[in-house]
Amino acid sequence: MEQEHMAIEAGQDDRCTLPCALDYMLTNRIAGVVAIRPSFNKNIQSRPVLHASRSKSLQSSSRPAFRAGYTQFFASSTGGDGAEGGPILVIVESPSKAKIIQSFLDSLYVVESCMGHVRDLPQSAKSIPPELKGRFGKVVGVDPDNQFEPLYVTLPGKEPLIKRLQTIQRKAKQIILATDEDREGEAISWHLLELLKPKVPVKRAVFHEITKDAITRSFQDLRSIDLNLVQAQETRRILDRLAGFTMSPLLWKKIARG
């Protein structure tokens, strides 16, 4: 944080050009995150993350996706409260994609859409519960003094969708997360897992084309969530927030001054 203040002060100095100030600030900020994240990832199984919904109800979690036994959870062939003879819930990102895939499958499958991202860093300090603003208010949604820990909130308007998926999953015997294969899609699957907290087996399916053969092959080659991709997306998101939050005031000052 001290380096950040130095960079801002440098930006206020007429002798320091805008590119110079931005480069100084961004280089030091990224170096700090990169230095922290490797040690952070080693201890990620025990790192708590706080979750806040839009209604500001709060709960604590030790991040099941990174917890010991996660692989066994995905490999399990027995579930919890799901109906033994119930359907298999398939979750994709796009509603149009869900409709097409449903037409390829029999009545054993129920295909639903999550309509993209379901959780993210808060868009503003208003979404942060008062008791957490001390930690996550300096850089909205990120605690720079605690290994750059993120605070995730359910995106506005997604609560009814999450409740609908929770209702459907209670009758399902298995869940297949079929979001896109890139790191954004992998992160969406992980966030769905965090929000739904399923008690039935969960698998991950990926495919590169929307055809019956491609869907069938992907369901025959199910895997677990790729945590490397999830961590990559999370780190990229934190860097985006840090860079934008720290550089925006400097940009406004420089642009306003011409």
Side-chain angles (χ1 to χ4, degrees), residues 186-232:
E186 209 75 21
I188 290 172
S189 282
W190 178 75
H191 283 294
L192 283 169
L193 182 64
E194 284 277 271
L195 287 172
L196 297 178
K197 303 188 186 313
K199 296 182 179 180
V200 295
V202 180
K203 303 288 184 179
R204 177 84 167 96
V206 294
F207 39 82
H208 305 284
E209 57 184 30
I210 311 300
T211 63
K212 187 171 183 178
D213 286 344
I215 302 303
T216 301
R217 287 196 303 271
S218 69
F219 284 8
Q220 293 172 348
D221 189 25
L222 298 171
R223 62 169 175 82
S224 61
I225 290 178
D226 187 336
L227 301 184
N228 289 327
L229 285 177
V230 175
Q231 292 172 8

Side-chain angles (χ1 to χ4, degrees), residues 1 4 8 22 25-26 29 139 240-251:
M1 297 300 293
E4 174 187 331
I8 292 176
L22 293 181
M25 181 185 298
L26 189 56
R29 178 58 91 182
V139 178
D240 286 346
R241 177 58 55 89
L242 289 171
F245 192 84
T246 55
M247 287 194 296
S248 290
L250 179 60
L251 283 170

